[in-house]
Amino acid sequence: MTNRKMFFTMLWGAVFRRRSRAMMAVIASLVGAATLFCLASVCVAVPQQMNEEMRAYGANLIVTPASATGKSQGIDTATVRNVTALIGAGHSVKSAAYRYESVRINSAPYTIAGVDVKAVRALNRHWNVTGDWPGSGNVMVGRDVADALGVKVGSRVTIGYRAADASASASSSASAKSDSDESTETAESSAQGTQSTQTTQGEQTTQATENGRVSSDIMDNNGTEFRISGIVDTGGNEDSIIYATTADVSKLAGHERGADVVEYSVNAMGDDLNAIVDGINRNPNSAVKAQTVTRITSSDTRIIAMLQTLFWIVSLVVLVLTLVGVGTTISSIVSQRRNEIGLRKALGADSRAIGVEFYVESGIYGLIGGLLGTAIGYVLARVLCATVFGREIGFNWLLGAGSLLLSVAIAVIASIPPVRRATRIDPAIVLREE
């Protein structure tokens, strides 16, 4: 019998003669592999799936005009197309443009937004709308507006537009659609830019003010009558805005112009999202300024960071437990085979050959446990993702190979201390005990 054949014969006997001990080592590796593969699969799949889920709660990036001229004229359609193409390179993206104007209802000032209803509806699926979205001759009002006016779905309101009130529209637009510190700066700069455009009008017509508002025609209730088709309730700034179609707003204002704000829901987060923003802001020909919506992006980052932290903590605990389990099992096997090891050394077997046999035996336990554990971990990951996110995940072969190799490596590493003790056994002492 050759040395190689003898080696495998002894290895086979060592594994199957002590099936209970071998089973314990396999189970220890199996539990570790299943837990680690399940956690790793979830941590790889969850950020992407969570990012997609968060996109249902509105935009994570907004674009506003960069110059004073742009603030008064808005973002034209060609610029919107170019920016959308730039953002959408390599990412799925949804967008919606908003044109804001200041209007009056019963002499009180309000902000009206001209929108593409289909785009806004697709972008803001979390909006709670009672009734219908706006259409031709119909508007949708925010909950705060409805409460202030005492109206309901089906009521009719007269909305008046005054050119002198337009200076407030840009400020309302930026502040109403963003909750980040950077967006506040945008709102202030937008207001300043639009106000400077209105300076000439102020010089041409002397207008009295009341509480900071133009009041020369404060009692003028003339305007266009609209039907209230719906009421939107989000609990945010949207509740203080009136929504109409872009065509109705243009007709009400008597002229067409570009959007004040373009919202984007981009399937990107963290550094990828910041890279998109930097790319837009560094483009000298874009004529717009981009910024992230902190409320959305910070939520994404915080939740994902918590999941990753939890993953590393649990992974560390699982690794330690797997090392202890496999190491304890191998120590027990070494103790049982102490006399056999002493006899083999007495017959001329060197410590290296004995150590290799134990290392290979431990590796087999790790390999079997890794295969079974990876399969079980994949099933657990699928069940978890389907239960929590309602989505399925595919098998990640890279993670599978990593889980298998890690199981074998942990089993071998855990066997080092007991194997070193086995190779130091003095055959004379063992034989004397016999």
Side-chain angles (χ1 to χ4, degrees):
M1 182 178 292
T2 63
N3 291 339
R4 180 175 298 180
K5 187 175 181 180
M6 176 64 73
F7 174 80
F8 286 109
T9 300
M10 296 182 65
L11 188 62
W12 179 270
V15 171
F16 287 94
R17 280 201 308 270
R18 299 171 179 84
R19 286 188 292 271
S20 60
R21 301 290 180 181
M23 186 65 67
M24 293 300 296
V26 170
I27 290 175
S29 297
L30 182 152
V31 172
T35 306
L36 291 176
F37 184 83
C38 178
L39 289 174
S41 297
V42 171
C43 281
V44 169
V46 161
Q48 184 64 30
Q49 293 183 355
M50 182 174 295
N51 187 41
E52 293 177 1
E53 294 292 334
M54 292 295 288
R55 297 291 66 78
Y57 294 92
N60 56 350
L61 185 152
I62 64 171
V63 171
T64 55
S67 63
T69 303
K71 291 180 177 69
S72 61
Q73 297 178 354
I75 307 173
D76 59 65
T77 304
T79 302
V80 173
R81 278 199 302 265
N82 293 336
V83 173
T84 302
L86 179 62
I87 295 175
H91 300 90
S92 62
V93 60
K94 295 179 182 178
S95 65
Y98 300 80
R99 172 189 174 178
Y100 292 96
E101 300 290 351
S102 285
V103 295
R104 292 187 186 183
I105 302 177
N106 298 334
S107 302
Y110 291 95
T111 298
I112 190 169
V115 299
D116 179 337
V117 175
K118 184 178 180 180
V120 173
R121 190 171 186 173
L123 184 65
N124 299 288
R125 290 178 289 166
H126 68 290
W127 284 11
N128 182 21
V129 177
T130 303
D132 297 324
W133 287 70
S136 179
N138 295 274
V139 297
M140 180 176 69
V141 300
R143 171 55 59 188
D144 293 345
V145 177
D147 292 342
L149 296 175
V151 296
K152 59 183 180 180
V153 175
S155 300
R156 306 190 77 85
V157 294
T158 299
I159 301 177
Y161 175 81
R162 306 289 180 271
D165 294 340
S167 60
S169 62
S171 176
S172 299
S173 67
S175 61
K177 299 308 299 178
S178 174
D179 294 286
S180 65
D181 294 335
E182 293 179 347
S183 299
T184 303
E185 297 175 2
T186 302
E188 294 173 353
S189 61
S190 298
Q192 293 171 359
T194 310
Q195 288 169 356
S196 65
T197 305
Q198 301 298 328
T199 301
T200 304
Q201 297 177 1
E203 293 174 350
Q204 293 175 352
T205 304
T206 302
Q207 298 171 324
T209 61
E210 182 176 305
N211 296 327
R213 295 190 178 93
V214 176
S215 60
S216 59
D217 55 354
I218 194 168
M219 299 305 295
D220 186 356
N221 292 323
N222 294 328
T224 304
E225 188 177 68
F226 289 90
R227 175 182 176 275
I228 297 177
S229 61
I231 298 174
V232 58
D233 189 354
T234 68
N237 293 321
E238 295 85 359
D239 292 359
S240 61
I241 298 176
I242 303 167
Y243 294 91
T245 63
T246 303
D248 279 350
V249 172
S250 297
K251 184 177 179 180
L252 182 67
H255 66 280
E256 295 183 358
R257 66 178 182 86
D260 294 298
V261 176
V262 182
E263 291 185 340
Y264 290 94
S265 179
V266 190
N267 189 22
M269 56 188 176
D271 293 338
D272 289 340
L273 186 61
N274 291 330
I276 294 174
V277 172
D278 292 340
I280 296 173
N281 292 336
R282 289 175 182 174
N283 188 346
N285 300 320
S286 65
V288 295
K289 177 184 177 182
Q291 58 196 27
T292 59
V293 180
T294 306
R295 177 183 60 182
I296 301 297
T297 54
S298 62
S299 297
D300 283 0
T301 304
R302 183 171 61 255
I303 295 173
I304 291 171
M306 290 173 60
L307 285 174
Q308 290 176 339
T309 302
L310 179 63
F311 165 73
W312 287 115
I313 292 174
V314 175
S315 297
L316 182 60
V317 173
V318 170
L319 285 173
V320 172
L321 292 177
T322 304
L323 285 169
V324 172
V326 177
T328 302
T329 304
I330 298 299
S331 295
S332 176
I333 293 174
V334 169
S335 298
Q336 286 185 342
R337 298 177 60 184
R338 184 168 178 271
N339 294 337
E340 175 190 335
I341 294 170
L343 180 59
R344 290 177 59 185
K345 294 189 72 174
L347 294 174
D350 58 5
S351 298
R352 179 177 176 276
I354 296 173
V356 168
E357 180 182 335
F358 278 104
Y359 289 138
V360 173
E361 182 179 345
S362 300
I364 291 174
Y365 298 148
L367 180 64
I368 297 173
L371 285 171
L372 297 176
T374 299
I376 294 174
Y378 173 61
V379 173
L380 292 175
R382 281 180 63 92
V383 172
L384 185 61
C385 287
T387 303
V388 177
F389 297 99
R391 302 186 181 215
E392 294 185 356
I393 61 172
F395 186 82
N396 190 319
W397 290 100
L398 184 61
L399 284 180
S403 174
L404 199 59
L405 293 175
L406 185 61
S407 298
V408 174
I410 290 175
V412 173
I413 292 172
S415 66
I416 291 177
V419 169
R420 291 184 64 183
R421 290 195 298 271
T423 57
R424 293 174 182 172
I425 293 177
D426 187 346
I429 298 177
V430 173
L431 293 176
R432 188 181 301 117
E433 292 176 356
E434 290 293 323

